[in-house]
Amino acid sequence: MQDNLLVVTRSVTILNVAAAVIAILALCSAFGTARRPFKTTKLRGPPRTDLIFGASKQILEALDAGAIYEAWAKEYGVVYEVPSTLGGREIMLTDPRALTHQFARETTTYVHTTATRLFLLHVFGRGILWSQGEDHRRQRKYLNPAFSPAAIRNYTPIFRSLAHKVRCAWEAMIDANSGDSTVIEVQSWLDSMGLAAFSHDFGSLDGKPASITKIFDTFGSSPNRSAVNSAALLLSHVFPLLEYLPTQRTKLIRETRRIMEDISKELLERSKKEKEEILDGKEDKSAIGVLVKANDSDSSTRLTQDEVLSQVITMTWALLELARNPDVQSKLRQELIAFGGEPTYDQQQHGLPYLDAVLHEILRIHPAVTDLIRMLAEDDIIPLSEPVVTQSGEVVNSISVARGTRIGIPISCVNRSTEIWGTDAKVFRPERWLEEGGIPKKAQGIQAYRHLFTFADGPRTCLGKGFAMAQFKAVLSVLVKNFVFEMRDGPNTRVELGRGILPRPKIVGEEGTVVPLRVRRFEG
């Protein structure tokens, strides 16, 4: 009897504590909500069509959220408010000057939301993607050597060697089929090749099953979200602790995290054994080797295993666009053949202008991250390149935003905006990067790398962008010289983004994020 009473008492106590915590959080949220409109400029924006989710559900389920953001920008101005979950609002920035201001203050004034940090913690650990402020600066300092131009110059032969390994495998597949062409699911090959460059053969380049492929199957291959999963995701933006609920999405995240931890440990153990050895008469200069050295530095600044993770850019979109645009593919192949031999890192950078144009058009049209959300850690005033009209009808050249305000950065919208990039902004046209006047003046006002926010900007500029672009050029130069790529089901084949943790291309009607292309041997 006494034991039962203790159990009941303990349960009531726990419930009381939980209720008290929830009440405190609700009061803090209410205070923040009440405070924000007082100091934040009241902007125009789309109406609240859903009492619970605002416009968030519409954006989540959209096939092209960037097009929705662009339509709203045309109607309400370069900055506007969007109604979000449970009465919240987000300020969307599509103005180049406003975005330059915001990115310059990343990790200090503009920080990850609580929900975003929990997601990054669950998937990537306490690494550079998760960190903020001084911790973020510390991690960048110790990771920078692995991604310097000098380091990338040393990686380039590795990229090319892996590309030739894929070339040999694809030629064998063509020979086994008919000797002319075959259908190859290119996405998994490119993903595996990209990560194999980190001084680790994941086996998939030899046709062996590899745990790394499970990650990319997870990133984007989940089925369409159920109503419960969608609701849980949207509500987690207001109540971050919902990230811990056992939904399909959180189970997928935990499995991804487990696989990434296993791979990270394997990479570290292997590289630690090899780092003192002489490889072909030279010290190991692979990316993972340099990262491990950072891991062994002063204990006060030591990077954890979770921090030794990097992002790999997919070349799938490049092969898709080349398959859909055979004239572009042919022009690129002619440049590569005319160059002769295999370009060095420096020749890749400056000696192949059309290859460079194709790369940057892919980055513009298909950013890996389509949008970002930030929260203000302190009050700020955001300058604008053109005036906007507020709710009261006042015309302003800057807006005030209070601490706690959520800010949206629709990267795909800005990269493909007709207001910024001209009437052909939605068209894949690499020539714009080579023509005089091909980049409109408004786009030139974007101070980010090559006038694109694909790699973000400021303190959070993608650390691995040089690595990713060098790999892209080395691999594409090998594949396009040796193969012709075609859409398996003809030029009208539809492509969509897979619904998962990261958006990844997939052929409509296929199960999972697979991209089967017809690959022909180029006969010259």
Side-chain angles (χ1 to χ4, degrees):
M1 179 71 177
Q2 187 175 6
D3 291 341
N4 291 339
L5 184 59
L6 286 172
V7 170
V8 172
T9 303
R10 189 177 295 114
S11 300
V12 171
T13 303
I14 292 172
L15 288 172
N16 288 342
V17 171
V21 170
I22 292 171
I24 292 170
L25 289 173
L27 285 172
C28 290
S29 177
F31 174 75
T33 302
R35 177 181 181 275
R36 282 195 287 278
F38 177 73
K39 297 192 70 174
T40 299
T41 302
K42 294 183 178 181
L43 297 167
R44 298 182 303 153
R48 181 176 294 277
T49 54
D50 188 301
L51 291 177
I52 297 176
F53 299 114
S56 299
K57 192 174 181 182
Q58 175 189 358
I59 294 166
L60 180 69
E61 296 174 349
L63 294 177
D64 185 1
I68 296 176
Y69 288 131
E70 185 176 4
W72 287 339
K74 288 179 179 178
E75 184 172 357
Y76 303 111
V78 292
V79 293
Y80 54 90
E81 285 187 0
V82 173
S84 58
T85 304
L86 295 182
R89 302 192 76 81
E90 294 173 1
I91 294 180
M92 305 302 299
L93 305 181
T94 65
D95 178 71
R97 188 180 180 191
L99 287 164
T100 298
H101 173 91
Q102 181 272 320
F103 277 118
R105 289 156 181 78
E106 280 276 357
T107 82
T108 53
T109 302
Y110 295 85
V111 299
H112 289 313
T113 65
T114 304
T116 299
R117 292 201 86 199
L118 272 177
F119 168 76
L120 293 173
L121 177 64
H122 289 164
V123 178
F124 299 104
R126 298 175 183 271
I128 192 167
L129 296 177
W130 171 86
S131 62
Q132 296 183 155
E134 186 57 39
D135 185 37
H136 182 266
R137 285 190 289 272
R138 172 185 66 82
Q139 292 197 37
R140 281 192 76 98
K141 175 182 176 182
Y142 283 93
L143 290 172
N144 272 329
F147 300 103
S148 67
I152 295 169
R153 186 174 284 107
N154 290 323
Y155 305 152
T156 303
I158 300 173
F159 301 153
R160 192 169 292 113
S161 174
L162 290 166
H164 280 294
K165 190 171 183 178
V166 170
R167 175 184 61 80
C168 291
W170 287 5
E171 286 179 343
M173 293 169 70
I174 291 173
D175 290 338
N177 186 48
S178 66
D180 174 49
S181 71
T182 191
V183 173
I184 297 175
E185 200 292 283
V186 299
Q187 183 140 260
S188 60
W189 280 91
L190 295 175
D191 289 336
S192 298
M193 177 172 54
L195 285 181
F198 264 58
S199 186
H200 184 85
D201 190 347
F202 289 90
S204 54
L205 292 182
D206 294 317
K208 304 171 186 175
S211 58
I212 189 61
T213 58
K214 295 179 184 177
I215 286 185
F216 291 109
D217 287 341
T218 298
F219 281 132
S221 63
S222 59
N224 291 336
R225 296 184 180 97
S226 67
V228 173
N229 283 326
S230 294
L233 174 60
L234 294 173
L235 289 171
S236 70
H237 296 164
V238 181
F239 305 109
L241 292 180
L242 291 178
E243 286 281 350
Y244 291 98
L245 287 179
T247 63
Q248 181 184 12
R249 176 175 177 272
T250 55
K251 290 176 183 176
L252 182 147
I253 289 172
R254 281 197 297 271
E255 176 63 11
T256 302
R257 174 66 179 157
R258 185 191 65 76
I259 295 171
M260 294 187 81
E261 282 181 343
D262 290 344
I263 293 171
S264 179
K265 289 174 183 177
E266 187 175 352
L267 284 169
L268 285 167
E269 289 170 4
R270 172 178 169 158
S271 296
K272 283 179 178 178
K273 289 177 183 177
E274 293 180 350
K275 72 171 186 172
E276 300 298 334
E277 297 177 2
I278 303 298
L279 302 175
D280 296 326
K282 293 184 179 180
E283 184 182 2
D284 181 9
K285 294 181 179 179
S286 66
I288 192 66
V290 178
L291 294 176
V292 170
K293 286 182 182 178
N295 199 52
D296 285 347
S297 59
D298 188 330
S299 60
S300 64
T301 55
R302 185 173 298 153
L303 300 177
T304 67
Q305 290 183 356
D306 293 334
E307 291 163 340
V308 184
L309 294 171
S310 181
Q311 297 177 338
V312 178
I313 189 171
T314 178
M315 286 161 282
T316 310
W317 276 119
L319 295 187
L320 274 169
E321 288 294 358
L322 293 177
R324 293 195 289 195
N325 297 273
D327 54 332
V328 173
Q329 183 179 169
S330 178
K331 188 173 180 178
L332 175 58
R333 186 176 295 109
Q334 289 172 13
E335 178 183 78
L336 294 169
I337 292 172
F339 180 85
E342 294 194 329
T344 64
Y345 168 75
D346 294 297
Q347 289 169 334
Q348 277 185 183
Q349 293 294 96
H350 309 292
L352 295 164
Y354 199 66
L355 175 61
D356 188 75
V358 168
L359 164 63
H360 288 94
E361 188 70 345
I362 291 292
L363 294 174
R364 186 184 72 83
I365 292 281
H366 301 294
V369 178
T370 57
D371 54 82
L372 298 169
I373 292 291
R374 295 290 185 261
M375 184 174 66
L376 274 90
E378 57 190 16
D379 298 346
D380 193 23
I381 295 176
I382 302 177
L384 306 175
S385 63
E386 60 182 81
V388 295
V389 180
T390 67
Q391 286 184 19
S392 64
E394 182 184 2
V395 178
V396 298
N397 293 298
S398 63
I399 60 170
S400 300
V401 282
R403 177 173 58 84
T405 303
R406 289 165 60 94
I407 299 291
I409 303 106
I411 294 173
S412 61
C413 164
V414 176
N415 278 8
R416 301 194 292 257
S417 167
T418 55
E419 293 293 320
I420 297 174
W421 287 93
T423 55
D424 65 349
K426 308 292 190 296
V427 179
F428 177 74
R429 196 174 72 83
E431 285 74 15
R432 77 177 74 245
W433 298 94
L434 303 173
E435 298 168 348
E436 185 176 353
I439 307 301
K441 286 186 178 180
K442 199 162 186 178
Q444 293 177 32
I446 297 175
Q447 301 301 310
Y449 171 78
R450 298 297 289 268
H451 317 300
L452 300 172
F453 288 118
T454 301
F455 292 119
D457 196 20
R460 280 203 184 274
T461 298
C462 178
L463 188 63
K465 73 174 186 290
F467 182 99
M469 291 189 294
Q471 184 184 30
F472 183 106
K473 289 183 175 181
V475 171
L476 208 63
S477 65
V478 171
L479 298 183
V480 173
K481 278 178 70 174
N482 288 279
F483 301 106
V484 176
F485 299 94
E486 302 170 355
M487 301 302 290
R488 182 194 62 184
D489 301 320
N492 296 322
T493 301
R494 291 194 300 136
V495 181
E496 64 181 1
L497 290 179
R499 291 180 178 274
I501 298 175
L502 291 179
R504 286 167 59 75
K506 67 183 293 286
I507 301 299
V508 173
E510 293 287 336
E511 180 124 7
T513 52
V514 297
V515 180
L517 297 181
R518 179 159 293 282
V519 181
R520 298 184 183 277
R521 183 185 283 108
F522 176 67
E523 301 293 352

